[in-house]
Every structure is written in C-alpha cells, then in structure tokens.
Amino acid sequence: MKDRFKGTELVRRDLVRVGALSAIGLGVCDLLGGKHLQASESIIPARAKACILIWLDGGPSHLETFDPKPDAPAEVRGPLASIATSVPGIRISECLPKTASLMHHLALVRSMTSPLGEHNFGTHYLMTGYKPTPVLEYPSFGAVLAHLRERSQEADDPASVLPQHVAVPDFRVGGSRLSGSGYLPGKTAPFSLGGDPAREGFSVRDLDPYSGIDVSRLNRRRKFSQAFDRFGGLGNDSAETPADSELKRAFDLITSKEAKQAFELESEPEAVRKRYGLKTVGQSCLLARRLVERGVPFVTVNHRGWDTHENLYTRLKEGYTGAKVDVGLVPSLDLALSALVQDLAERSLLDETLIVVMGEFGRTPKLNTQGGRDHWPRVFSSLLAGGGVAGGQVVGSSDAVGELPADHPVTPSDLAATIYHLLGIDPTQELKTPDGRRERIAPAEARVVQKLLG
C-alpha cells in the first residue's frame, strides 16, 4: 500500500513545507513517518529540571578566565591579572569580578583534558561525551534530554508547545558541522532562533507565518495533510502518526500566544536587561532564563569569538582598542553569567537549573608571537552551578603553567556522565540508532564526577 502512495507522500511533504513549518525542526525522515527511537526506561532522581549551557565557541583560554597563573613567568601568565573570589584561596581572572563574588555558588573543573584540538572534533566530544567517528554522529545533551522527556510531557502542558531544545541565537558551533540531534530524530535538534536578542527589533525567525498565509490557511493545510495520511493507509481515523504529531507541534507553536511571549525580551524591565549586559551573550542568557522558567528543559547560549590566536588582550578584555569601558569577551561573560546565577537564585530556580560554561578546548600555556594563544586540549577548565552542583570548590588542577592536569583529570565523557546524572538520566542506559544498533548515552569509560554533586 505504501508503494502505491509513494508519490502522494512526496506531495504531502511539499505541502507541509509551506508556511515555514519546517523551521521548527521537521526533518524529511520525521515528515515521512520516521519512527521514534526507543530508550531504556532507567531513570535516576533528577537534581536539575533544566540546563543552560553557555558555550564559549572557539576555545576559551583557561589562563585568562578560570585558571590564572599569577606566579608563572610573564609569557605564561599573560596580560591579565587575577583576583580573589568569595571563597578563600580561589582566584580567577580580573575581568570576572561579578562572577568572583558568586564563587560560593560555583564549581570550577580545572583539570578537563582531551586529545582533540580541532574545533569540530573538540565540539563533538564536549557536547556529546563521545569522541567523533566517521561512522556515527552522536546526539548532544539537549537532544538526548528532549528525546527522553518528550514522552513524559502532559499534552495540555503549555510548556509542551515550546521546543524542548533551543539554541540562542543559533547552533553554529565548532565549524557549524554539528547537527545537534546526531542519530536521534531531527525534531530533537536545537531550535535556532535565527536572530540576535541584543539587536533592536529582535524576532524569532519563522515564528510568524509568512505574508499571505494566515492561521486559518495553515489549519486547512494541516487537516489536508492528515487526510492524506488516512487516504494513504497510514492508520485509522483516530491514530496519529509521528509526522502528524510534529505537524501539530509546529502549528501549535506558530499559533500560540504564550509561546511567542516567551521570546519577548522587550517585556523585561530595562534594569534587568542592563544587569545581564546589552551584548549578545547577556541578552541570550536573559532569554535562556525566560525559556527555562516556562518549562524548556535545555537551552544552549552560543557565545562565539573565543578563537584568540592573536591580539588576545584586546579581544578578551577591552573589546576594541581604546575602549573606556571593557566590553571584551570576558567582561561580557562576567555580566551575563553573574546576572543569570543571581536572577535564578532570586526566583528560586537555581537549585533546579543546571548552568554549564565551557568550550571545546583551552589555549596554549605560552603566548605566541602575535600576542595570542593557540589550541590546547590537554588541559582546560569548565564551570558548573546550580542544579545539584556543590558550589564553592575547585575540582582538579592544572600544573604550574597550565599545560597538563596535575591531579584528578576529568574527560569530556566524565563531564557528560555528570551532566546526565544531574538531569536525572542514567548515563549507562541505551538508545537505538537508525540501523538498530544500541548505543549508551555516555561511553562505557565515563565516570560521574562525584565531587561535583551537592
């Protein structure tokens, strides 16, 4: 019967594309009735209901952020000084004063280590816990979480209209070759906003129907596609196919007033917006808070520009030569991160929202001849807060010049297992690939970093 209506399915696919419904993550496989991949039912108590990943794309220098070396030679120490934090004995970059005042909420991992110093490979490893392979792309944390939590959502939950996995402003990470969904269905890929929240007139791409296509017209096309399903023998009149489910979600998002309100940053008081900083990373973190507050379980804030091979001082601190107020990458992160932690705490959301700050690797222990640092995956840092994390501590350390782990090495696989554990996902459970192969959520060698658990 399916062969008879193969052409009908292609027509149906084209109809679904009209009205920009594909913008909320409808892949061809999903539209043509691709099956959900099944996962183990194994669950552990979740300490965090949601996760905000602040991704420092390009590879941030650990020596100029979370692991300064004030006693090292100048070529190692670099141009930035270090400052004390709210936890005695812990020092971080001078460009992170607001973050330093919140150190009692934060946990630093200074012994992250990886063999992969190429952007795309390093990004895949850090965002999935798996080293990349040409055979299979593994799903990112947000995709796994979206896949597992979708089945437990209540149909009448307002949060179910919003995407489960959102990227602000987009998911162009690590060379833009990572889909985010890996071998999971395309609908688990991050919903990229396609607009900069810091720009005047910010809007979410394709959240509104195209000109000339109103809601009633979209609804007619939705019903028409359902009629094609029934006519094609895809089920009885009451059954809903995976494609129908995705089309309904697309329609609900476009027509939902509540969903649109989640993205309306202009409704926030001006003082709150300034508190986060008016740069892209600040407004993106504010939008991430609004989304998790409304039930979105995973948000990636993509903060690009950390590939500092040259002119490191200006790019990291000043932002541009002669700046009267430092607006570089690190001060902008300082405003955004500190405001996010404080805002979530004030709203009693910090304990149930996991914050992770990381990039694909660190930077070389010595400055190069162009005043920058090159790729260095052998040791680097990450930061975690909220969501069951024990704050006020440093896990592991690097050696005196930030070249290698000195103790307690933590791999991206270990960090992945820890993130999953905090989100209530057993890292040992398995998912199925499209060809039926079983893959663990985290690699067999992954170990939860117990010191991070509160």
Side-chain angles (χ1 to χ4, degrees):
M1 192 68 157
K2 285 186 179 180
D3 289 339
R4 277 184 64 190
F5 293 99
K6 191 177 293 184
T8 301
E9 283 297 295
L10 290 174
V11 172
R12 179 181 181 275
R13 178 193 63 190
D14 291 337
L15 288 168
V16 172
R17 288 180 185 273
V18 177
L21 296 183
S22 61
I24 49 79
L26 297 181
V28 172
C29 177
D30 296 315
L31 292 174
L32 297 185
K35 294 181 179 179
H36 289 264
L37 300 177
Q38 297 301 313
S40 161
E41 295 300 324
S42 176
I43 26 179
I44 56 178
R47 302 178 186 222
K49 294 180 180 179
C51 178
I52 297 173
L53 168 60
I54 303 176
W55 179 254
L56 309 183
D57 192 60
S61 170
H62 51 298
L63 297 159
E64 272 75 36
T65 53
F66 304 126
D67 191 12
K69 301 294 180 183
D71 300 324
E75 66 271 19
V76 173
R77 184 172 68 247
L80 301 184
S82 67
I83 57 173
T85 69
S86 62
V87 178
I90 301 179
R91 300 181 71 85
I92 59 177
S93 168
E94 64 168 294
C95 293
L96 293 165
K98 292 182 179 294
T99 301
S101 70
L102 298 170
M103 189 64 228
H104 52 287
H105 286 302
L106 315 176
L108 297 178
V109 182
R110 286 179 170 168
S111 55
M112 295 294 304
T113 184
S114 161
L116 303 176
E118 189 274 334
H119 291 295
N120 189 57
F121 294 161
T123 298
H124 186 285
Y125 196 11
L126 266 294
M127 281 198 168
T128 69
Y130 275 90
K131 294 177 183 177
T133 166
V135 178
L136 189 67
E137 181 186 320
Y138 289 89
S140 63
F141 306 130
V144 172
L145 185 61
H147 180 66
L148 295 181
R149 289 203 176 176
E150 181 194 36
R151 293 171 300 165
S152 62
Q153 268 194 326
E154 295 294 333
D156 57 354
D157 181 0
S160 65
V161 176
L162 288 165
Q164 295 290 284
H165 183 193
V166 179
V168 187
D170 55 44
F171 199 69
R172 291 189 288 116
V173 297
S176 303
R177 294 201 295 271
L178 195 68
S179 71
S181 56
Y183 58 73
L184 291 177
K187 65 184 176 181
T188 65
F191 173 70
S192 292
L193 302 192
D196 185 346
R199 292 194 175 184
E200 188 175 354
F202 160 71
S203 63
V204 179
R205 179 189 59 199
D206 297 327
L207 189 59
D208 295 308
Y210 287 160
S211 177
I213 301 180
D214 58 21
V215 172
S216 61
R217 190 174 175 188
L218 283 175
N219 195 31
R220 286 198 303 272
R221 293 181 181 186
R222 179 170 68 101
K223 291 178 178 178
F224 191 43
S225 72
Q226 291 171 342
F228 263 107
D229 275 350
R230 292 191 294 272
F231 184 64
L234 298 179
N236 59 45
D237 287 352
S238 62
E240 186 180 66
T241 70
D244 288 332
S245 176
E246 283 309 288
L247 184 53
K248 179 179 183 298
R249 183 175 293 254
F251 180 81
D252 289 346
L253 179 60
I254 289 175
T255 58
S256 169
K257 180 180 178 181
E258 292 75 14
K260 292 180 181 180
Q261 287 175 340
F263 299 102
E264 292 175 355
L265 280 180
E266 65 272 16
S267 66
E268 291 285 340
E270 190 63 24
V272 172
R273 299 194 69 173
K274 288 182 177 179
R275 181 182 181 187
Y276 276 83
L278 299 179
K279 303 276 281 187
T280 300
V281 64
Q283 298 304 293
S284 295
C285 283
L286 174 54
L287 186 52
R289 186 269 286 165
R290 290 178 60 85
L291 291 170
V292 299
E293 196 174 30
R294 289 162 172 77
V296 175
F298 202 98
V299 181
T300 299
V301 172
N302 185 15
H303 189 200
R304 291 193 293 269
W306 292 85
D307 196 17
T308 49
H309 289 281
E310 59 185 21
N311 203 12
L312 174 145
Y313 177 82
T314 301
R315 293 179 63 186
L316 292 188
K317 184 178 182 181
E318 293 182 329
Y320 58 91
T321 303
K324 294 181 179 179
V325 178
D326 294 333
V327 292
L329 291 166
V330 187
S332 299
L333 174 64
D334 184 47
L335 281 176
L337 175 59
S338 60
L340 180 62
V341 171
Q342 289 178 306
D343 205 358
L344 289 172
E346 290 167 2
R347 294 167 183 269
S348 300
L349 292 172
L350 184 59
D351 288 344
E352 59 188 47
T353 305
L354 174 63
I355 300 172
V356 181
V357 183
M358 64 180 182
E360 59 263 47
F361 41 66
R363 313 303 291 190
T364 48
K366 291 184 179 180
L367 293 166
N368 61 29
T369 57
Q370 296 177 304
R373 299 185 192 269
D374 302 315
H375 302 180
W376 194 257
R378 295 183 185 179
V379 73
F380 55 103
S381 301
S382 62
L383 178 150
L384 294 90
V389 171
Q393 64 164 328
V394 172
V395 175
S397 64
S398 63
D399 61 18
V401 294
E403 183 177 17
L404 296 168
D407 62 74
H408 203 97
V410 176
T411 69
S413 298
D414 298 332
L415 185 62
T418 307
I419 290 171
Y420 283 129
H421 180 87
L422 289 167
L423 290 168
I425 297 172
D426 181 356
T428 70
Q429 69 176 290
E430 296 177 336
L431 302 175
K432 282 186 180 180
T433 65
D435 62 1
R437 190 169 71 190
R438 292 185 175 275
E439 291 285 347
R440 283 174 45 125
I441 285 179
E445 68 273 14
R447 298 291 180 269
V448 173
V449 183
Q450 296 294 330
K451 286 188 68 176
L452 286 172
L453 307 183

